[in-house]
Amino acid sequence: AVVSTQSGHYGRDLSSLGNSIVNLLRLIPSGVLVFFPSYGVMNNTIASWQTSNIYSRMLKIKHCFTEPRSKNEMATMMSEFDEKVKHPADGATGAMLFAVCRGKASEGIDFADMHGRAVIITGLPFPPKNDPKVNAKMNFLDQQKRNRSDSLNGQEWYVQQSSRAVNQAVGRVIRHKDDFGAVIFMDKRFSFRSNIDELPKWARGFAKVNEQFGSGLRELSLFFKRHVTRVSEQETEVAEPAKSSSRLSNMYDAFKSTERDLPKERFAAPNLDDSTHEFTPPPKKIARTNKRASLLTSLNDATSSDFTFTPSMSPISSRTVTEYKTPEAL
């Protein structure tokens, strides 16, 4: 996360803000999100840039989109934004979306990888103090604070709402463990320790205040060179196994084409009893019906002299055999 400071608070010099964003766009690849405190501030700022050459300079670097209020228009706009991020034209390097904190783009939409390489926060999105609901809420909390010392007062709640809106917008840039992106704060108040402490824990440790805008640009340039190179190397490593797999596939296809030209006997299972490993068909089995026919033929051809009747003395065992004698012989 890069904390960049401007002279004065947000809104005092819109031209300075626009020129700073133009310089940032030259360093940021693919998609960029620029968040404003409210729809009114966003529309007035863009109108101011359009009257000068700032907006036209932005268009030469990124395709520019503005968050609409309608849900149907939002879906159409996001489809066009996705197309321009993936396929920029007319010399552009990606697309840029002007959006609003607490708006549709800051909550519930995933700007992973190339869709959100940087989030630019242009100011602290405090709730409008002239809103009757905001005033009623602050008065209620102040009254409750008198009865409960551990509760928030109206001013603390007011600052808390701004921090929550900022953190929601900041979370658009990092969506998974291998994602990378920059968070850039274009308001001097973000250099205060109290506001840095309100950032998410994962971003708080990387926050750095740059008193000079040029030093912030140099760090941002090194950041993207380092990570873009890392991603390119990872993509190359992923492509190498794919090439190897393609080579193996070609070798297999060549082997299959050779197999069709050779006799099938060469690919049969070898006969281990034959040293030549030639194809030897297995011997055919003799059917049971043929065995019975052979046995009956042998019995029919046998003579009576081939059989001797010797009665057994035991009706149970036929193994104890005794010669039969007549009573006269006894």
Side-chain angles (χ1 to χ4, degrees):
V2 179
V3 179
S4 178
T5 63
Q6 296 290 309
S7 59
H9 289 180
Y10 173 82
R12 291 189 179 178
D13 194 350
L14 296 181
S15 297
S16 176
L17 175 64
N19 290 325
S20 299
I21 292 177
V22 170
N23 291 326
L24 291 170
L25 294 180
R26 294 193 176 102
L27 303 177
I28 304 170
S30 303
V32 182
L33 308 177
V34 181
F35 284 99
F36 294 88
S38 65
Y39 283 102
V41 173
M42 179 182 69
N43 294 332
N44 292 335
T45 303
I46 295 175
S48 175
W49 291 343
Q50 288 174 341
T51 58
S52 63
N53 65 342
I54 294 177
Y55 194 79
S56 61
R57 289 163 58 199
M58 292 177 177
L59 289 174
K60 292 180 181 179
I61 306 173
K62 303 286 185 183
H63 299 282
C64 297
F65 297 88
T66 304
E67 177 184 348
R69 292 179 179 268
S70 171
K71 291 184 178 180
N72 295 332
E73 294 178 359
M74 184 68 182
T76 304
M77 186 276 298
M78 286 302 302
S79 178
E80 296 175 356
F81 176 81
D82 175 73
E83 177 63 23
K84 293 301 182 182
V85 169
K86 295 179 179 177
H87 308 287
D90 302 327
T93 61
M96 177 171 57
L97 173 61
F98 297 118
V100 176
C101 293
R102 302 189 194 88
K104 291 176 282 294
S106 66
E107 301 177 3
I109 298 181
D110 191 1
F111 293 91
D113 299 317
M114 64 188 311
H115 294 87
R117 287 305 182 201
V119 169
I120 301 175
I121 309 295
T122 61
L124 286 169
F126 289 109
K129 275 195 172 182
N130 56 354
D131 189 338
K133 293 182 180 179
V134 174
N135 287 325
K137 178 72 174 181
M138 294 179 67
N139 293 333
F140 171 77
L141 292 175
D142 288 338
Q143 185 177 3
Q144 190 178 38
K145 180 71 174 180
R146 301 186 187 98
N147 301 326
R148 294 179 53 185
S149 59
D150 58 341
S151 62
L152 294 175
N153 60 31
Q155 184 61 30
E156 291 172 341
W157 170 84
Y158 189 72
V159 174
Q160 184 188 70
Q161 296 306 301
S162 173
S163 301
R164 288 181 176 178
V166 168
N167 292 344
Q168 284 287 345
V170 166
R172 301 305 97 196
V173 70
I174 304 295
R175 305 304 296 174
H176 54 83
K177 65 181 183 65
D178 295 323
D179 202 358
F180 70 92
V183 181
I184 305 166
F185 299 98
M186 306 292 292
D187 191 316
K188 188 175 182 179
R189 290 171 292 180
F190 282 110
S191 63
F192 301 159
R193 187 73 247 176
S194 58
N195 288 326
I196 293 177
D197 291 340
E198 294 296 329
L199 295 175
K201 290 182 179 180
W202 63 266
R204 200 178 304 161
F206 296 98
K208 184 177 181 180
V209 177
N210 292 280
E211 297 296 339
Q212 299 297 324
F213 187 72
S215 63
L217 288 179
R218 286 191 293 273
E219 291 188 12
L220 191 66
S221 177
L222 294 174
F223 171 82
F224 281 114
K225 285 182 179 179
R226 181 170 63 253
H227 286 280
V228 169
T229 302
R230 175 180 61 84
V231 171
S232 300
E233 292 175 351
Q234 291 177 349
E235 291 175 350
T236 303
E237 293 175 358
V238 172
E240 285 299 326
K243 292 181 180 179
S244 176
S245 176
S246 177
R247 288 195 295 268
L248 291 175
S249 178
N250 294 336
M251 293 171 62
Y252 178 75
D253 293 339
F255 174 78
K256 294 296 290 183
S257 63
T258 306
E259 178 186 355
R260 289 194 294 269
D261 300 333
L262 296 176
K264 293 184 178 179
E265 289 79 3
R266 292 290 301 277
F267 293 92
N271 188 347
L272 298 179
D273 296 333
D274 192 349
S275 62
T276 62
H277 286 184
E278 294 293 336
F279 176 74
T280 304
K284 296 183 179 179
K285 290 185 177 182
I286 301 176
R288 293 183 61 186
T289 55
N290 294 338
K291 289 183 178 180
R292 291 186 62 186
S294 176
L295 180 60
L296 292 175
T297 302
S298 300
L299 291 176
N300 291 334
D301 294 342
T303 60
S304 59
S305 60
D306 295 329
F307 300 95
T308 301
F309 177 73
T310 304
S312 174
M313 296 302 293
S314 172
I316 299 176
S317 176
S318 60
R319 294 181 180 179
T320 305
V321 180
T322 306
E323 185 182 357
Y324 179 76
K325 296 181 180 181
T326 61
E328 291 79 9
L330 293 175

